[in-house]
Amino acid sequence: MITINSILEVQDYIDDYEGIIFDLDDTLYGEKQYVRSGYKEVASVIPQVDRAYDKLYEAFLRHENAIDVVLASAGIDSEEVKALCLKKYRYQKPDINLYEGVDDLLAAIRKSRKKIGIITDGRPEGQRAKIKALGLEKMVDHIIITDELGGIDFRKPCPVAFKKMHEIMGVPYEKLVYIGDNMHKDFIAPLELGMGAIHFKNVDGLYYSK
């Protein structure tokens, strides 16, 4: 496995591969952007909570269930309000951007005639909204959201998505490489299948560990 400190370093290690497969969150863009975008939406429907956005993000940084914590601290005990907050977060139109240089990186990979894919976990509505907001449909060849294969049991480290991408691309496993940020789940299946692996050590990522 290769470790990189910038996603743009990928280009230095993919000459021998024909299929380049990326994780999405904290690999092509910063997931904290999505969280902040969602909390702005949530704050808009609870104007009765002073500094709602700040409190939500502060609770998130403490690894707490932010919506529950903020509503409880404000004395709001309403399942209807909680449901509205969750809906606003999950169905937001994300205000997010690719990491600087990623669009050029993907264009360069495509110009080299390599195939580009994305395998990502998460609620389909949220992941599809991210993909649309980032314009990735036009930049990559194939996208697999693992939940769409049959639910959360298909999330990484389940190998099904990787096997499916192998079939779709028509590229031997040894000519495929997966790039991700989460050492706990991203590379188990790829390595077992004989794929290459590039770990993006993203110091700003939600799953960064020294």
Side-chain angles (χ1 to χ4, degrees):
M1 182 186 298
I2 294 166
T3 296
I4 58 177
N5 296 303
S6 164
I7 190 60
L8 303 186
E9 293 175 40
V10 162
Q11 204 160 5
D12 297 332
Y13 299 100
I14 58 175
D15 286 349
D16 295 332
Y17 295 105
E18 298 172 8
I20 317 302
I21 309 168
F22 292 90
D23 173 46
L24 176 59
D25 302 306
D26 279 338
T27 298
L28 296 178
Y29 86 103
E31 192 168 1
K32 288 177 183 176
Q33 287 185 59
Y34 180 79
V35 173
R36 289 193 291 264
S37 172
Y39 287 155
K40 287 178 183 177
E41 290 293 313
V42 173
S44 72
V45 297
I46 48 173
Q48 66 272 44
V49 179
D50 183 49
R51 296 180 55 252
Y53 167 77
D54 293 331
K55 291 176 180 177
L56 286 162
Y57 195 65
E58 288 163 5
F60 164 77
L61 293 176
R62 294 193 300 268
H63 306 289
E64 297 174 343
N65 191 327
I67 291 174
D68 286 348
V69 167
V70 171
L71 291 180
S73 66
I76 300 173
D77 183 21
S78 167
E79 289 300 319
E80 183 178 352
V81 172
K82 179 181 176 180
L84 177 60
C85 290
L86 288 172
K87 183 177 180 180
K88 292 293 287 186
Y89 186 89
R90 292 173 179 170
Y91 292 91
Q92 62 171 294
K93 183 177 179 181
D95 181 12
I96 56 178
N97 299 285
L98 293 169
Y99 283 130
E100 185 175 355
V102 165
D103 51 351
D104 291 334
L105 169 67
L106 296 177
I109 295 173
R110 174 166 276 180
K111 188 176 181 180
S112 69
R113 299 188 177 181
K114 299 179 187 293
K115 296 180 180 179
I116 307 175
I118 291 174
I119 293 177
T120 178
D121 295 336
R123 294 175 178 272
E125 64 274 12
Q127 299 309 96
R128 288 290 170 192
K130 294 172 187 175
I131 290 163
K132 182 177 181 180
L134 296 170
L136 286 168
E137 303 102 323
K138 298 177 182 178
M139 300 183 196
V140 307
D141 301 299
H142 308 290
I143 298 172
I144 294 177
I145 298 173
T146 56
D147 286 35
E148 293 181 342
L149 299 176
I152 62 174
D153 290 342
F154 288 81
R155 293 181 181 181
K156 296 169 284 184
C158 176
V160 172
F162 295 94
K163 292 179 179 179
K164 187 173 181 66
M165 187 66 80
H166 157 70
E167 294 172 2
I168 293 171
M169 286 188 167
V171 174
Y173 284 118
E174 62 269 21
K175 291 294 183 180
L176 294 173
V177 61
Y178 190 65
I179 301 102
D181 68 294
N182 190 334
M183 285 292 290
H184 299 293
K185 67 173 185 174
D186 281 343
F187 307 109
I188 295 173
L191 291 174
E192 287 178 349
L193 292 169
M195 295 170 53
I198 299 177
H199 171 222
F200 173 24
K201 193 173 183 179
N202 187 351
V203 296
D204 191 50
L206 298 187
Y207 299 101
Y208 171 70
S209 59
K210 295 182 180 180

